[in-house]
Amino acid sequence: MTFWEKLEQAARRNRSLVCVGLDPFMGKLPDCVKETDRPFFEFNRQIIDATCDWVCCYKPQAAYYAGADRDNELKMTIEYIHERAPEVPVILDVKRGDIGSTAEQYAAEAFERYAADAVTVNPYMGFDAVKPFLDHADKGVIILCRTSNPHSGDFQNLVADGVPLYEHVARRVRDEWNYNRNAALVVGATYPEELSRLRSICPDLWFLVPGVGAQGGDLEKVVISGCNSAGNGIIVNSSRGIIFADRSEKFAVAAGEAAAKLRDQINSFRFRQS
């Protein structure tokens, strides 16, 4: 089963466009898991158990694990998702952007070492940087386009041939890079006007949308601007707002409640506008 088949199946089954970002940080973990042998994995395991009925996918950010020398717990987390919720796909957030044999090894890392269903990549170095990932036809390749960070416009808003750079990225993905029908775009929630514009340019591509919650993205605008004509097409990522909803021994219960609440909020806008 391809990433997109799994995603659509999970979205339909759980009536959800919610993606939970599994980004553990030791300083924020509840005391009840800090003292375990594998605190990141134990934290994630309980979060997954509490949220798997409310999500369409999970997205661990690799830097949180690599920076804490806990790559093994990242691998364990992805393995656990495949076991506990096999219908829910995993996006490995690494934003790779190298070329040639190096990019091939990064693809092997994501899809073979970690067995992720999809990966985030940086297109700054052009087609050479994304082809080794796109050639894995059964995997999702989610390409940075209009990101949510405050200074993303330093380069993404530069105009060439009358349109900003991020539009060039979107058109290139739509017209040339999506030859295996496995490409998508990262489009930040903090720029709803650009999100709407990109939806008009790419009516059939899925968008991974970070920036809701802690970064200040407006959920209603995201759903209205980003959903396609079928009322889907966006993956709304939330990390801190769900996994750190509570830091007591009841953290997993709070995470499940937060994920369910976000799902219901999205659906209230999603089906109203479709």
Side-chain angles (χ1 to χ4, degrees), residues 42-89:
E42 180 58 28
F43 178 74
N44 289 342
R45 183 188 66 79
Q46 294 191 45
I47 294 289
I48 293 160
D49 286 346
T51 61
C52 62
D53 290 333
W54 312 114
V55 304
C56 67
C57 62
Y58 290 101
K59 185 180 72 64
Q61 164 52 258
Y64 283 90
Y65 303 84
D69 194 21
R70 295 186 179 276
D71 302 71
N72 62 321
E73 293 179 63
L74 171 59
K75 192 173 189 295
M76 292 172 64
T77 293
I78 296 174
E79 289 173 347
Y80 185 75
I81 295 169
H82 291 329
E83 175 187 332
R84 175 67 173 80
E87 73 285 353
V88 178

Side-chain angles (χ1 to χ4, degrees), residues 148 188-192 210-219 221-222 240:
S148 59
T190 48
Y191 300 103
V212 168
Q215 294 186 52
D218 185 296
L219 183 62
K221 289 182 179 178
V222 164
R240 287 167 284 179

Side-chain angles (χ1 to χ4, degrees), residues 33 110 139 171 187 194 199 223 244 252 262 265 271-272:
V33 298
K139 303 296 187 178
R171 294 175 190 275
V187 184
E194 286 92 334
R199 175 52 70 204
V223 176
F244 297 131
L262 179 58
Q265 288 175 327
F271 296 120
R272 189 177 71 191

